[in-house]
């Protein structure tokens, strides 16, 4: 008795709900636990077993009932499968909440089942299987896959993904769960003869279906309905209802309107049709339904009993953040979006061009509602960062049934909708802020902070992706450097010193939380070329690429020096390496920097730290991944206009590596800093001792202070940094290249923007006098002959000097260069 | 000239969204546009100034934006009223052939972004003329048909 065995197998896969359905349809009571229900069904099904398990007293089994029961079980089992109620391949989620089957069910869908809208169960021709793991039904390829320009006798291409019509309807509107199908899918396709005649022949289809008493009872329950559905078999949008043009539907002779579209207006890619409910015009027993339309395309229609879900129920079908996409995946994706994947590379040290915006601003408002996102949702296949508010999205789609990503407008279905684990943490953390704070700044490592207006901006600590503040005090790195020779006479920079507290810091890194080693090297002195002036106030501060100052405190400290508030973001790598040797132990570095260890993870620490003394091998810095620094007050450095006006001689210049830290506004320049191999200096001048130094460039978005100091560059310094004003000019570059020339030049006050990082020993440099301290002359005073001379000189330079905005207009060449700005700069550096 | 739209009251989501957009507009209006304040949230009248340096410099136009019940899931109806600009994509009844108003509408778009698109469309025009099928189209629309009921054929991505 194969039927009986099959029924038992099917029964085993039923849950309480299905068991109750069976009992309902058999007209039996349905109280009790699962096992009791099961026994009741078995009692009907197998009279012999009933005798062993007499659960139903007074019930007399008879053969007729038994076969009915088998029929019912089979029926419900098919509905269960037809409804697409099982797990989706991707997500382990039950698509329809109503009829789900336990994961470990013993009977996988029968992979050989054929069910085709053509009605023939035979294996004829090429078959195609539904990709829904719960369905896996086989259909005739020629019946369901119809190319738009169907040519006779040509086998259609097999699509990479295929879903049967039942699954497509289920995916199309998750608010409707299929309970049963009184009228299974029927093809609505103009006969070939008609198609020959015209583009859109009028044709019709008439079917009958039977509603049982149980069905009618079901339909009277709240949220239940009898729905007629229709879809276009070769629809570009797979999961939607789609009625043919000029469709006229009659149910038992009553006209039912199926669309509101005007005649000849086809459904656009963003449109969705609805399936009208026909409960009111149906009756128990046989019903007649007919559809006519002028449309040659292949459609497929059917009638199903549905249960409508609420927004909350549909929301519950969306996998939790943990199940949809792991946080790590989300973080990696966000990083890719921000910096194109460079962040995990870890090997970016060897590229001398680093093009990275330090942070991007992300708007957290939902594109649909305009309010800030509360639960961040997204479609899993989307590559972009932008998401939407999940609840708003589901609510809107209850009616719209579009399930389109509002950002990229791709069509998806509910099963691809997930909670965005990354942004969900952010939006959750943002609950502490007012609703009007809708933007956050994101860094490539995934750390973020709310973007606030005004003064409070810089006081907002960055937070690691999981939402915890990166550091309690919000300090970031500020590195103040003094160079030795020059600064000896002076008191150490107060700024730097104060900053550091205990020297201990905690590094939070996304991956392992490894603590970066404290920076051994200490640099504490800042050198300015102007040191000779002994002006304490105006120490030049060399901004290290590392220095990052996010905190108001740091800024304040730096401001003491100069008063320019700089918001400079730099991204630099490993520039410190060079400096360490130069520092010769005398340099104290105050830095609250995360940078040092090479971990690509990026700055997470806020730790403040003071490094004293010892010549620390700076190498520790070298490995560091990109550092993004926000420089505070770089410009304040001692190299002020005055100094520059004093015209440093070469010797002075040598002493002062003093650079001006210029304010950088990262947003203006996407590549804040660059490293250039030091080697080119050799060409320019002798006396280079430092080997590996690198140049850091920084762009400067600001105009310089009028004080903006001149400065001197110690060419001998191994590392030096140029901070460029917005318009790089070539002339200056040349001056750098040929330090020897420059000593004689006059400095103009407008100049500065060169800062030298700790190079070789300052003292040495001074002694060498080799092309020391290039006076950088302001463009104004720059004489043409000088320029020419420079031009003739070595070409190697990669350094760009910034020009002031107020440069003399007379230089036509300059203007050209100005106009080229960034691209020009890049080209140069690459050539290097 | 103005099309009669069977107006259903805005849904709650649509109302909230429009309030947000209005507020955002007040804080940060798109350059060249002026919203004429009314108490009707569902119909905005927006004044457009032709961008300087284009064919429409120093000209003023008026846009009428009608929001459907289920905005933003459905696109608003946007038409020029009074004197529509002479433009290859603007019909003399004010209807605009612009894909984002119909097929390519996305709920992520806003009135502000629509305005910018329209101004961009105007600014990139090289010739002041009506669409070639203007007369036929306008005749077909005499019964007050909404441009959203038109099947648009978007062919020109240059203007």
């Amino acid at each position: 008795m194969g039927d009986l065995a099959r029924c038992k197998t099917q029964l085993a896969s039923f849950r309480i709900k299905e068991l109750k359905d069976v009992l309902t349809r058999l007209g039996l009571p349905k109280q009790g636990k699962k096992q009791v229900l099961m026994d009741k069904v078995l009692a009907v099904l197998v009279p012999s077993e009933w005798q062993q398990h007499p659960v139903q007293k007074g019930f007399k089994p008879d053969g007729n009932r038994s076969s009915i029961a088998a029929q019912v079980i089979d029926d419900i089992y098919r509905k269960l499968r037809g409804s697409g109620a099982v797990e989706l391949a991707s997500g382990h989620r039950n698509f329809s909440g109503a009829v789900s089957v336990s994961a470990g069910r013993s009977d996988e869908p029968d992979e050989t089942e054929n069910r085709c809208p053509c009605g023939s169960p035979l294996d004829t021709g090429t078959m195609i299987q539904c990709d829904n793991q719960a369905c896996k039904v086989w259909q005739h390829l020629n019946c369901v896959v119809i190319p738009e320009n169907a040519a006779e006798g040509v086998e259609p291409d097999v699509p990479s993904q295929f879903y049967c019509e039942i699954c497509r309807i289920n995916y199309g509107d998750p608010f409707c769960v299929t309970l049963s199908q009184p009228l299974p899918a029927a093809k609505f396709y103009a006969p070939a003869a008609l198609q020959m005649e015209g583009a859109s022949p009028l044709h019709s289809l008439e079917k009958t279906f039977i509603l049982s008493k149980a069905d009618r009872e079901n339909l009277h329950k709240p949220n239940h309905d009898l729905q007629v559905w229709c879809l276009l078999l070769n629809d570009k949008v797979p999961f939607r209802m789609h009625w043919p043009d000029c469709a006229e539907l009659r149910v038992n002779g009553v006209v039912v309107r199926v669309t509101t579209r005007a005649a000849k207006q086809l459904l656009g890619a963003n449109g969705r049709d609805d399936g009208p409910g026909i409960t009111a015009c149906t009756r128990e027993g046989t019903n007649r339904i007919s559809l006519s339309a002028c449309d040659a395309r292949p459609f497929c229609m059917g009638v199903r009993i549905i249960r409508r879900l609420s927004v909350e129920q549909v929301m519950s079908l969306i996998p939790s953040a943990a199940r949809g996409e792991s946080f790590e995946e989300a973080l990696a994706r966000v990083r890719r979006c921000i910096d194109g994947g460079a962040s995990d590379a870890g090997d970016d040290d060897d590229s001398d061009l680093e093009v990275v915006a330090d942070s991007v601003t992300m708007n957290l408002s939902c594109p649909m509602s305009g309010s800030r996102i509360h639960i961040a949702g997204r479609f899993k296949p989307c590559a972009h960062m932008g998401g939407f508010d999940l609840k708003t999205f589901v609510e809107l789609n209850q009616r719209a049934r579009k399930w389109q990503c509002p950002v990229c407008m791709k069509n998806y279905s509910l099963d691809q909708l997930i909670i965005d684990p990354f942004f969900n943490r952010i939006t959750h953390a943002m609950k502490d802020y007012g609703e009007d704070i809708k933007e956050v700044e994101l860094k490539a490592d995934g750390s973020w902070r709310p973007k606030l207006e005004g003064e409070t901006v810089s006081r907002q600590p960055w937070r690691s992706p999981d939402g915890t503040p990166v550091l309690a005090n919000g300090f970031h790195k500020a590195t103040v450097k003094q160079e030795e020779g020059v600064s000896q006479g002076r008191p150490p920079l107060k700024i730097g010193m104060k900053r550091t507290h205990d020297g201990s810091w905690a590094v939070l890194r996304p991956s392992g939380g490894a603590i970066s080693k404290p920076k051994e090297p200490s640099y504490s002195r800042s050198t300015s070329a102007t040191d000779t002036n002994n002006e304490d106030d105006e120490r030049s501060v060399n901004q290290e690429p590392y220095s990052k100052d996010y905190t108001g405190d740091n800024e304040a400290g730096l401001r003491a020096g100069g008063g320019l508030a700089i918001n400079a973001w730099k991204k630099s790598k490993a520039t410190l390496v060079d400096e360490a040797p130069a520092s010769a132990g005398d340099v104290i570095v105050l830095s609250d920097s995360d940078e040092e260890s090479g971990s690509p993870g990026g700055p997470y620490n806020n730790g403040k730290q003071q490094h004293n003394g010892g010549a620390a091998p700076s190498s520790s810095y070298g490995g560091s991944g990109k550092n993004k620094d926000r420089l505070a007050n770089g410009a304040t450095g001692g190299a002020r206009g005055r100094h520059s006006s004093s015209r440093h001689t070469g010797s002075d210049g040598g002493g002062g590596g003093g650079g001006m830290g210029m304010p950088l506004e990262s947003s203006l320049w996407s590549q804040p800093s660059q490293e250039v191999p030091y080697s080119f200096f050799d060409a320019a001048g002798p006396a280079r001792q430092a080997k590996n130094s690198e140049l850091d460039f920084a762009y400067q978005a600001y105009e310089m202070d009028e004080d903006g100091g001149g400065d001197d560059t110690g060419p001998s310094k191994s590392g030096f940094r140029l901070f460029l004003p917005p318009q790089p000019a070539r002339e200056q570059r040349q001056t750098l290249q040929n330090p020897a020339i420059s000593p004689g030049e006059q400095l103009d006050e407008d100049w500065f923007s060169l800062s030298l990082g700790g190079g070789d020993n300052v003292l040495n440099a001074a002694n060498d006098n080799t092309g020391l301290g290039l006076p950088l002359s302001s463009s104004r005073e720059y004489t043409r002959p000088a320029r020419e001379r420079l031009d003739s000189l070595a070409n190697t330079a990669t350094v760009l000097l910034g020009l002031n905005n107020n440069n003399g207009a007379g230089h036509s060449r300059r203007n050209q260069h100005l106009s080229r700005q960034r691209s020009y700069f890049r080209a140069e550096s690459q050539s290097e | 000239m103005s099309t009669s739209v069977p107006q259903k009251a805005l849904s709650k989501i649509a109302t909230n969204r429009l309030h947000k957009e209005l507020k955002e507009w007040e804080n940060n209006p798109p350059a060249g546009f002026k919203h004429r304040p009314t108490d009707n949230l569902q119909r905005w009248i927006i004044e457009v100034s032709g961008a300087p340096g284009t064919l429409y410099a120093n000209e003023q136009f008026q846009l009428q934006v009608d929001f459907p019940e289920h905005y933003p899931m459905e696109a608003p109806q946007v038409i020029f009223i009074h004197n529509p600009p002479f433009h290859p994509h603007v019909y003399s009844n004010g209807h605009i052939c612009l894909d984002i108003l119909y097929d390519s509408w996305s709920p992520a778009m806003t009135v502000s972004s629509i305005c910018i698109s329209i101004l961009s469309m105007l600014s990139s025009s090289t010739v002041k003329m009506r669409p070639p099928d203007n007369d036929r189209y306008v005749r077909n629309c005499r019964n007050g048909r909404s441009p959203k009921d038109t099947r648009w054929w978007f062919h020109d991505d240059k203007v």
Side-chain angles (χ1 to χ4, degrees), chain A residues 685-734:
Chain A
R688 300 288 124 39
Q689 295 173 350
K691 310 298 187 278
N692 296 326
S693 62
E694 297 175 349
L695 288 184
D696 287 343
F697 296 140
Y699 290 109
Q700 173 171 352
Y702 288 24
E703 283 200 1
M704 320 231 160
D705 216 2
E706 70 266 9
D707 290 346
D711 36 40
D712 6 14
T713 64
S716 60
K717 312 263 165 121
S718 57
F720 77 74
R721 293 178 180 74
L722 298 181
F723 294 97
L724 300 181
Q727 298 93 354
R730 167 179 271 191
E731 291 84 358
Q732 274 93 8
R733 251 198 289 154
Q734 290 161 349

Side-chain angles (χ1 to χ4, degrees), chain A residues 256-477:
Chain A
V256 176
R257 183 142 198 215
V258 290
T259 68
T260 56
R261 283 183 278 141
K264 297 295 167 201
Q265 188 177 3
L266 303 183
L267 191 63
N270 289 345
R272 297 293 186 270
D273 279 338
D274 198 1
I278 53 171
T279 306
C281 42
T282 55
R283 56 184 173 249
E284 189 177 337
T286 304
N287 292 271
R288 213 175 59 244
I289 185 168
S290 71
L291 173 67
S292 68
C294 302
D295 200 323
R297 296 172 295 169
F299 289 87
C300 187
M301 67 169 285
V303 175
R304 60 177 186 161
I305 295 176
I306 56 168
R307 188 164 63 90
R308 296 191 190 275
L309 302 184
S310 65
V311 171
E312 286 69 29
Q313 285 170 311
V314 172
M315 292 276 288
S316 70
L317 297 177
I318 297 167
S320 65
R323 282 166 61 216
E325 181 184 33
S326 74
F327 182 74
E328 287 69 29
E329 286 170 340
L331 181 60
R333 174 172 48 78
V334 168
R335 286 182 177 178
R336 276 196 304 275
C337 289
I338 296 178
D339 67 359
S343 66
D344 328 315
D347 58 349
D348 44 2
D349 287 337
D350 53 0
S351 74
D352 51 2
L353 263 188
E354 188 73 25
V355 185
V356 174
D358 184 73
S359 70
V360 297
T361 296
M362 185 72 196
N363 194 323
L364 291 183
S365 53
C366 170
M368 331 273 293
S369 69
S371 310
R372 197 173 70 208
I373 294 173
H374 295 287
I375 303 173
R378 66 188 308 274
F379 281 103
K380 197 167 186 183
C382 281
H384 51 78
M385 272 199 297
F388 39 79
D389 184 71
L390 197 63
K391 184 134 188 279
T392 305
F393 185 80
V394 173
E395 274 173 10
L396 283 170
N397 276 288
Q398 180 175 23
R399 198 201 138 273
R401 301 181 302 277
K402 291 191 177 175
W403 305 103
Q404 269 176 327
C405 173
V407 179
C408 63
M409 293 302 286
K410 288 205 182 85
N411 288 299
Y412 295 108
S413 64
L414 178 76
D415 67 312
Q416 285 152 321
L417 187 59
I418 56 170
I419 293 174
D420 185 328
F422 179 80
F423 281 108
N424 203 40
R425 295 198 193 193
I426 293 182
T427 55
H428 191 76
M430 287 291 285
K431 284 180 181 158
D432 303 338
Y433 294 87
E435 275 288 323
D436 54 327
I437 309 296
K438 288 181 183 162
E439 291 185 325
V440 294
E441 292 172 81
L442 270 182
K443 290 203 289 181
D445 57 20
S447 60
W448 64 279
R449 66 177 181 183
K451 187 170 187 179
L452 304 179
E453 301 289 325
E455 279 297 308
T456 51
V457 172
S458 56
R459 298 186 185 275
Q460 285 296 325
W462 288 91
R463 306 178 185 213
S464 63
D466 59 7
T468 57
V470 172
L471 255 204
N473 54 8
F475 271 12
H476 257 61
K477 352 158 171 195

Side-chain angles (χ1 to χ4, degrees), chain A residues 534-548:
Chain A
N534 276 342
E535 294 180 0
D536 290 346
D537 293 348
E538 298 187 350
R539 306 264 163 75
S540 69
V541 175
N542 262 348
Q543 298 171 339
E544 291 306 329
Y546 299 103
S547 64
K548 216 181 215 183

Side-chain angles (χ1 to χ4, degrees), chain A residues 23-242:
Chain A
L23 290 168
T24 306
R25 291 174 72 157
L26 292 175
L28 296 177
K30 48 183 180 179
Q31 287 83 30
K33 293 183 178 176
K34 185 175 180 181
Q35 190 54 47
V36 176
L37 297 177
M38 184 84 76
D39 288 342
K40 286 180 186 174
V41 176
L42 285 173
V44 180
L45 192 62
V46 194
S48 60
E49 286 196 17
W50 170 74
Q51 277 147 20
Q52 296 164 12
H53 306 279
V55 289
Q56 185 71 28
K57 297 234 163 113
F59 172 72
K60 307 242 187 318
D62 66 70
N64 196 19
R65 269 194 96 104
S66 169
S67 65
I68 292 176
Q71 181 86 34
V72 167
I73 290 171
D74 195 49
D75 194 15
I76 288 184
Y77 179 69
R78 283 179 190 280
K79 284 171 194 163
L80 171 66
R81 304 179 51 197
S83 68
V86 208
E87 340 234 306
L88 300 179
S90 56
H92 287 288
R93 25 196 304 222
N94 291 320
F95 187 75
S96 75
V99 267
S100 60
V101 178
S102 66
R105 55 189 281 192
S106 55
D107 55 340
E108 283 298 308
D110 178 4
E111 301 215 358
T112 60
E113 185 190 352
N114 295 337
R115 188 204 64 222
C116 185
C118 71
S120 162
L122 302 176
D123 271 344
T124 53
T126 313
M127 305 294 283
I128 188 168
Q129 189 177 31
C130 176
D131 281 338
N132 183 351
Q133 292 304 302
C135 178
K136 288 190 169 179
V137 72
W138 287 93
Q139 302 190 319
H140 305 117
L141 184 66
N142 285 310
C143 291
V144 292
V145 181
I146 295 132
E148 293 225 11
N149 307 319
E152 287 297 322
V154 176
E155 284 273 300
D157 290 336
V158 178
S160 58
Q161 256 201 333
F162 172 77
Y163 291 95
C164 72
E165 70 283 349
I166 305 293
C167 294
R168 284 169 58 186
I169 282 295
N170 281 318
Y171 280 128
D173 189 0
F175 282 92
C176 296
V177 175
T178 303
L179 299 181
S180 65
Q181 302 190 63
L183 175 62
K187 243 177 129 176
F188 182 77
Y189 196 16
L194 277 178
Q195 287 194 37
M196 292 303 142
E197 295 173 4
S200 45
L202 175 66
H203 61 113
S204 58
L205 174 78
E206 184 154 341
K207 287 273 180 185
T208 58
F209 61 93
I210 297 175
L211 288 180
S212 68
K213 186 173 183 189
D215 288 334
R216 287 299 297 175
E217 282 169 2
N218 253 339
L219 290 177
H220 286 124
K221 292 183 198 160
N223 298 325
H224 285 61
D225 203 353
L226 186 66
Q227 185 191 51
V228 53
W229 57 265
C230 186
L231 55 76
L232 177 61
L233 281 174
N234 54 4
D235 202 337
K236 297 184 300 290
V237 183
F239 305 125
R240 68 171 173 184
M241 210 163 282
H242 193 153

